[in-house]
Amino acid sequence: MDIKLGFGSIPKPQYVFVSKESDHCWYMLSDDAKQIPIYDRALTGVITEIEVNKIIETSQGKSEKTDLHILADKPYIVRSGSESYFSKSLLLSLDALSYEQLLQPLTIAVSPGEKAIVFCTIYHPMTYRSVGVSWDGHKEIDWQVLGKRVSLKINGKKTVTSDTRKILNNEINAEIRADFISKTDAYLSQLNWTPQQGREYLQQKYGKKSRYHLSETELVDFVDYLKLQLALSY
């Protein structure tokens, strides 16, 4: 990033706000608080920090936001509502990336959904491949825990509270579970099972509605069952 000598704008981060409009999904604010549409669908840079569940005073009162700090041609802060699909898909994607991958430039892209929904998709700019995430069972995800885990991975070790210790102690188990969940995604897809078929089997076999509710033993058993069904289908 080049430093321009002489007069210029104040060197402060540029906020980018996520909002679905008719022809764009995010915007900036001018000095007189007017919206400046951003028609580009992607921002590429290095993620330097994330602030999850940040309390912000707005004209409608207090609101929880997620602020993603990105260093590109200048520092940017992408702000979205903590409960928005953008924030949730952002957290799912960041959780799927390794610490080493997070040190490299990444592309943050906006994708319009139905009504006012905007999704976030992260791409590897060198390979053009997106970070694959699954929304199956997202209603059962503890977003507070996921947000803390992503914050720890990106922001590094800070003050270690009792909650932080619990997250760190469970991180390896969480990664193993995530790997098994990913395997079930692949096997279910190859078997052409619908989400409804999966839920019915889990309810009948384990008395549970989601893979995220399975114990470690049950999850391993479910993976083995799917592998066997796949082998029998050939």
Side-chain angles (χ1 to χ4, degrees):
M1 187 168 59
D2 295 330
I3 297 176
K4 180 183 176 183
L5 302 180
F7 288 104
S9 58
I10 299 173
K12 61 181 181 180
Q14 174 67 63
Y15 276 88
V16 175
F17 302 91
V18 177
S19 176
K20 183 183 177 184
E21 306 298 335
S22 59
D23 56 357
H24 60 278
C25 291
W26 46 15
Y27 64 89
M28 297 182 289
L29 290 178
S30 63
D31 291 337
D32 55 356
K34 291 183 179 179
Q35 291 189 13
I36 304 173
I38 302 174
Y39 298 107
D40 292 313
R41 296 277 291 276
L43 170 63
T44 300
V46 176
I47 296 173
T48 58
E49 184 182 352
I50 189 169
E51 298 175 90
V52 181
N53 299 323
K54 183 179 180 180
I55 304 298
I56 301 296
E57 285 285 355
T58 69
S59 56
Q60 286 78 37
K62 293 183 179 180
S63 180
E64 285 193 1
K65 303 292 184 182
T66 296
D67 281 358
L68 182 71
H69 297 241
I70 302 176
L71 184 61
D73 57 317
K74 65 167 71 174
Y76 292 94
I77 300 176
V78 180
R79 173 167 289 178
S80 56
S82 293
E83 293 299 318
S84 69
Y85 277 89
F86 181 91
S87 286
K88 290 181 178 180
S89 51
L90 172 68
L91 290 177
L92 286 172
S93 298
L94 294 174
D95 189 50
L97 290 166
S98 67
Y99 177 78
E100 290 73 18
Q101 289 174 319
L102 288 168
L103 296 176
Q104 305 300 317
L106 296 167
T107 298
I108 310 297
V110 286
S111 303
E114 296 181 355
K115 299 181 180 179
I117 293 175
V118 178
F119 291 100
C120 170
T121 304
I122 296 182
Y123 291 84
H124 299 281
M126 294 295 292
T127 63
Y128 286 48
R129 292 182 178 178
S130 63
V131 177
V133 297
S134 172
W135 281 91
D136 184 28
H138 74 278
K139 292 182 179 179
E140 288 80 31
I141 294 176
D142 189 328
W143 295 101
Q144 294 281 341
V145 171
L146 179 60
K148 288 180 180 180
R149 187 165 69 239
V150 170
S151 297
L152 282 171
K153 186 160 55 172
I154 293 176
N155 302 338
K157 294 181 180 179
K158 296 185 179 179
T159 304
V160 181
T161 63
S162 58
D163 287 341
T164 302
R165 289 192 186 94
K166 290 178 184 177
I167 294 170
L168 289 172
N169 291 336
N170 291 329
E171 190 166 5
I172 294 176
N173 287 337
E175 289 181 0
I176 294 173
R177 284 186 65 87
D179 181 60
F180 274 95
I181 292 291
S182 178
K183 287 179 179 178
T184 62
D185 284 335
Y187 295 149
L188 289 169
S189 176
Q190 293 176 61
L191 289 167
N192 293 318
W193 277 31
T194 65
Q196 181 62 30
Q197 284 178 285
R199 284 192 290 269
E200 287 177 356
Y201 178 82
L202 293 177
Q203 185 68 49
Q204 180 181 359
K205 176 70 174 180
Y206 308 107
K208 297 176 181 177
K209 297 180 180 179
S210 169
R211 294 171 295 171
Y212 294 92
H213 292 162
L214 298 178
S215 67
E216 281 75 10
T217 301
E218 290 169 339
L219 187 56
V220 171
D221 181 68
F222 185 43
V223 169
D224 288 341
Y225 172 78
L226 293 177
K227 286 172 63 178
L228 176 61
Q229 297 307 304
L230 193 60
L232 293 173
S233 66
Y234 288 116

